[in-house]
């Protein structure tokens, strides 16, 4: 009985240690997951901002191109088109 009690106590102690190690690792992993999430959300927000900026520039360029296409004077058309192309290159 003494031997069994000693083994049970040792088993309980080792299980408690393992549970503490698991709890600590769980905490570390949870923090890393949250940090990764924040980092990815920041990166995604930056990409969205970049895409919006690109879309706005493209919309302006399309509007200017449509306006230029209505020009009847060939020389003026070429000069205006060149200016727009240089500005957006």
């Amino acid at each position: 009985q003494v031997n069994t009690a000693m083994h049970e106590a040792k088993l309980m102690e080792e299980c408690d240690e393992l549970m503490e190690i698991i709890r600590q690792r769980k905490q570390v992993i949870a923090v890393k997951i949250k940090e990764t999430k924040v980092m990815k959300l920041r990166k995604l927000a930056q990409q969205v901002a970049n895409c919006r900026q690109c879309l706005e520039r493209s919309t302006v360029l399309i509007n200017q191109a449509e306006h230029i296409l209505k020009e009847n004077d060939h020389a003026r058309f070429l000069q205006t088109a060149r200016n727009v192309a240089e500005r957006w290159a």
Side-chain angles (χ1 to χ4, degrees), residues 6-57:
M6 191 172 71
H7 285 303
E8 285 177 348
K10 186 174 180 177
L11 175 66
M12 295 302 269
E13 182 182 328
E14 288 175 356
C15 286
D16 288 343
E17 287 176 20
L18 286 172
M19 287 172 53
E20 180 61 21
I21 290 169
I22 291 170
R23 187 193 65 74
Q24 289 174 359
R25 290 224 177 135
K26 177 183 173 184
Q27 204 170 20
V28 168
I29 291 170
V31 168
K32 286 183 180 181
I33 288 171
K34 287 178 185 178
E35 289 172 350
T36 301
K37 178 183 175 184
V38 168
M39 182 184 69
K40 286 184 177 183
L41 286 174
R42 282 186 192 144
K43 189 174 183 179
L44 184 60
Q46 182 61 46
Q47 289 174 342
V48 168
N50 291 344
C51 288
R52 281 193 177 130
Q53 186 178 26
C54 184
L55 180 61
E56 288 172 9
R57 287 185 62 179

Side-chain angles (χ1 to χ4, degrees), residues 56-70:
E56 288 172 9
R57 287 185 62 179
S58 297
T59 301
V60 169
L61 181 59
I62 289 169
N63 289 336
Q64 288 179 343
E66 287 175 347
H67 179 72
I68 293 168
L69 289 173
K70 294 176 185 174

Side-chain angles (χ1 to χ4, degrees), residues 69-86:
L69 289 173
K70 294 176 185 174
E71 182 63 58
N72 291 327
D73 181 1
H74 298 297
R76 193 167 183 188
F77 170 82
L78 290 174
Q79 182 61 40
T80 307
R82 187 177 337 173
N83 290 340
V84 170
E86 288 173 355

